[in-house]
Amino acid sequence: MPKIWSQTIEAHRDAVREATIDATAALVAAQGLTGVTMSQIAKDTGIGRATLYKYFPDVESILVAWHDRQITEHLRDLIQVRDRTTGAARRLEAVLAAYAKAISHRRGSHDELGDLLHRGARVSAAHRQLSDLVRELIVDAAAAGAITRDVPANELTLYCLHALGAAPGLRGPAAVGRLVRTTLAGLRADDRG
Amino acid sequence: MPKIWSQTIEAHRDAVREATIDATAALVAAQGLTGVTMSQIAKDTGIGRATLYKYFPDVESILVAWHDRQITEHLRDLIQVRDRTTGAARRLEAVLAAYAKAISHRRGSHDELGDLLHRGARVSAAHRQLSDLVRELIVDAAAAGAITRDVPANELTLYCLHALGAAPGLRGPAAVGRLVRTTLAGLRADDRG
């Protein structure tokens, strides 16, 4: 197959994948998670049901792909924030603040879905990358003496990501800022009660 | 209708409701959220499909009832813990520790469901009671000077419940204890720097 033709096919496949994810996102936003079927998704995407099954085996796999896409977008931004900030403590603060801000814009049932998925059996690769990014910053900040060393880094990572998960329920950037500072205060305190 | 007969009917209805919720929980645990249908639930409950629709209009309403039942069980325990503990700070600590311990036993996709539901449009009455309980303890602890007064109580409540939501992902009671202490440290610190 000529290269130009295989590139065209590849681009077409990407477009179908993206359109499928978009259609599924719209369906879940409109009617919630339950009741979303492969037939409906195929219809809304404008492709045949048999074609859809060549891309995704079931609804859940589309939801996982959707969540991966969201997290991947966040990750790109967070890596930029990390790389332009100096100092272990300030890096951690800047990345957590950027993460909280990013997810605070996600509202509605289709976004909580992400939490459902990444906490289930199928932890997405993108979410693992997000956890790794935060954990590395926590390890560095602990080594620099900026946060507690009394709690394992993987536990503090879970704490951070969950605590900041409150952001979509808050009203306005000031409240999100207070959430970030409260979460950081939990990391910092040496007095573990 | 004689009273004894109406009581019998009431007990029967409760039994059908509970059996329906149990069957749905088992189905979601076995095959995940998507693909669970009213027909399958009716079959597994051992009732007719038409009968099922007299109890619940859709799958989501059964999931909401299930989540309500879980939270209601936790609430009963948390109120006991609150009432047998003295001092605003110690009450807050004891209740948060009991909550984290309770949810740390919930694992698997059917439990993350709760998070999906109570953060969606349909916030359950039971979850509102849980939030109210925690918020009152936070207000009291702030008034006693035991935690920060720089952040509104409803924001701190969201922070607590989300941060402690990391508990099911932790291994063992020691890790859950560290999570509770980290979360409390976030509430306490006056340095919001």
Side-chain angles (χ1 to χ4, degrees):
Chain A
M1 186 163 13
K3 193 166 173 232
I4 182 73
W5 184 231
S6 72
Q7 280 173 344
T8 305
I9 291 176
E10 194 53 48
H12 172 75
R13 280 190 186 136
D14 284 349
V16 173
R17 269 182 64 90
E18 294 303 306
T20 303
I21 293 171
D22 291 342
T24 306
L27 270 171
V28 172
Q31 66 184 58
L33 181 55
T34 55
V36 174
T37 63
M38 291 293 271
S39 303
Q40 187 69 46
I41 291 167
K43 188 165 160 263
D44 286 16
T45 308
I47 58 177
R49 209 160 153 274
T51 305
L52 175 58
Y53 277 104
K54 286 184 191 154
Y55 286 84
F56 294 102
D58 51 29
V59 175
E60 198 171 336
S61 63
I62 306 175
L63 299 175
V64 170
W66 174 24
H67 179 59
D68 261 35
R69 191 173 75 178
Q70 283 188 319
I71 295 278
T72 301
E73 286 165 6
H74 293 331
L75 263 176
R76 213 171 31 220
D77 297 341
L78 297 181
I79 288 167
Q80 282 186 356
V81 169
R82 179 193 67 187
D83 291 346
R84 72 168 177 249
T85 314
T86 49
R90 293 193 52 230
R91 272 190 162 175
L92 177 62
E93 288 179 30
V95 167
L96 293 187
Y99 177 70
K101 192 179 164 203
I103 65 166
S104 73
H105 300 307
R106 303 191 303 185
R107 281 173 194 276
S109 61
H110 56 295
D111 298 311
E112 274 82 40
L113 240 194
D115 298 301
L116 173 70
L117 291 169
H118 75 60
R119 291 172 61 192
R122 295 167 83 162
V123 174
S124 75
H127 192 261
R128 210 173 306 124
Q129 285 171 31
L130 173 65
S131 289
D132 288 348
L133 173 72
V134 172
R135 196 178 58 245
E136 281 167 21
L137 296 170
I138 282 174
V139 167
D140 290 348
I147 62 169
T148 181
R149 299 184 208 191
D150 297 344
V151 181
N154 62 330
E155 293 179 17
L156 291 179
T157 303
L158 264 181
Y159 156 77
C160 278
L161 294 178
H162 275 86
L164 297 178
L170 297 174
R171 287 199 191 131
V176 174
R178 286 190 290 270
L179 174 65
V180 172
R181 288 195 296 278
T182 302
T183 304
L184 284 164
L187 294 178
R188 275 197 212 108
D190 276 327
D191 162 32
R192 305 267 124 194
Chain B
M1 185 164 10
K3 193 166 173 232
I4 182 72
W5 184 232
S6 73
Q7 280 173 344
T8 304
I9 291 176
E10 194 54 48
H12 173 75
R13 280 190 186 135
D14 284 349
V16 173
R17 268 182 64 89
E18 293 304 305
T20 303
I21 293 172
D22 291 341
T24 307
L27 271 171
V28 172
Q31 66 183 59
L33 181 55
T34 55
V36 173
T37 63
M38 291 294 271
S39 302
Q40 187 69 46
I41 291 167
K43 189 165 159 264
D44 287 15
T45 309
I47 58 176
R49 208 161 154 273
T51 305
L52 175 58
Y53 277 104
K54 285 183 191 155
Y55 284 84
F56 295 103
D58 51 29
V59 174
E60 197 171 337
S61 62
I62 305 175
L63 299 175
V64 169
W66 174 24
H67 179 59
D68 261 35
R69 192 174 73 178
Q70 283 189 319
I71 295 279
T72 301
E73 285 166 7
H74 293 332
L75 264 175
R76 210 170 35 218
D77 297 340
L78 297 181
I79 288 168
Q80 282 185 356
V81 168
R82 179 194 66 187
D83 291 348
R84 71 168 176 248
T85 314
T86 49
R90 293 194 53 229
R91 272 190 162 175
L92 177 62
E93 289 177 29
V95 167
L96 293 187
Y99 177 70
K101 192 180 163 201
I103 66 167
S104 73
H105 301 306
R106 302 190 304 185
R107 283 174 194 273
S109 60
H110 56 294
D111 298 310
E112 275 82 43
L113 241 193
D115 298 300
L116 174 70
L117 291 168
H118 74 62
R119 293 171 61 190
R122 295 166 84 162
V123 175
S124 75
H127 192 261
R128 208 174 307 122
Q129 286 171 32
L130 173 66
S131 289
D132 287 348
L133 173 71
V134 172
R135 196 178 57 246
E136 281 167 22
L137 296 171
I138 283 175
V139 167
D140 290 349
I147 63 169
T148 181
R149 298 184 209 191
D150 297 344
V151 181
N154 61 332
E155 294 179 17
L156 292 179
T157 304
L158 264 180
Y159 156 78
C160 280
L161 293 178
H162 276 86
L164 297 178
L170 298 174
R171 287 198 190 132
V176 174
R178 287 189 290 270
L179 174 65
V180 172
R181 288 195 295 279
T182 302
T183 304
L184 284 165
L187 294 178
R188 277 198 210 107
D190 276 326
D191 161 33
R192 305 267 125 194

